[in-house]
Amino acid sequence: MFQKINTFLFNRQAHKLASSNERERCFVSYKKAKTVFLLFESDFTEKNAVIRKIVQMLQLDRKKVVAWGFIDKKQITTALLPDFRVLNYEHTDFFKKPHASFFRELERYEFDLVIDLSLHSIMPLEYFTLYANAKCKIGVKKTDTPIYDFIIDLENHQQTLESSEEELDELFLFNQIIFYLKSIQSSD
């Protein structure tokens, strides 16, 4: 029941923000992207080796990366750094909306890309996607709420991956997103 209430409140806020805030959406190719806001679901140990590898790959391509993750755990051990942090439900209110201090911090940034690598619907990460000041927002189809500009639908990939030795994880999703960002030619 609480999940339905939280989803209703999020959808209402998303539609309200979409109607009141005319954000200029545009496709940003990988080559033109300079700043990336990476959202992810943290692993239980908070080591996040795959995410750190992805951040390193982006930084090697001279992209400025801010990575924020979320974990469903009472205590976190990762330090809250400006460019890399893992949050938990202590950092949200009753309705799973992150505290206002995170949104104030997010307001200071302007991103070319928001890449949401979470494979499941995680309300705090969806709020960050919704409120991030970005030209292009990319993620997996998890909800009908229009928070992404570019959506990767992995339903067909899941059936294909079941017959191969590859697994559906953040690195696979990241590689799919980068493939499309590099392949699509825009005329802007």
Side-chain angles (χ1 to χ4, degrees), residues 154-169:
L154 292 177
E155 280 188 32
N156 295 331
H157 286 297
Q158 285 177 321
Q159 295 167 355
T160 307
L161 290 173
E162 288 174 3
S163 61
S164 72
E165 58 273 353
E166 278 189 282
E167 73 176 82
L168 183 61
D169 64 356

Side-chain angles (χ1 to χ4, degrees), residues 10 17 23 37-39 68 98 103 106 114-118 122-134 136-139 142 146-149:
F10 175 79
L17 189 66
R23 180 175 71 84
F37 186 35
L38 197 64
L39 297 169
W68 289 7
F103 293 116
L106 199 55
V114 171
I115 300 176
D116 183 355
L117 295 178
S118 61
I122 301 172
M123 192 70 59
L125 295 181
E126 291 176 6
Y127 272 108
F128 289 141
T129 302
L130 181 64
Y131 281 95
N133 183 9
C136 185
K137 299 177 182 184
I138 305 167
K142 299 173 275 201
I147 58 174
Y148 301 115
D149 303 319

Side-chain angles (χ1 to χ4, degrees), residues 37-52:
F37 186 35
L38 197 64
L39 297 169
F40 63 95
E41 181 176 2
S42 177
D43 59 28
F44 193 75
T45 62
E46 299 178 41
K47 300 269 188 251
N48 300 306
V50 172
I51 300 301
R52 291 182 189 276

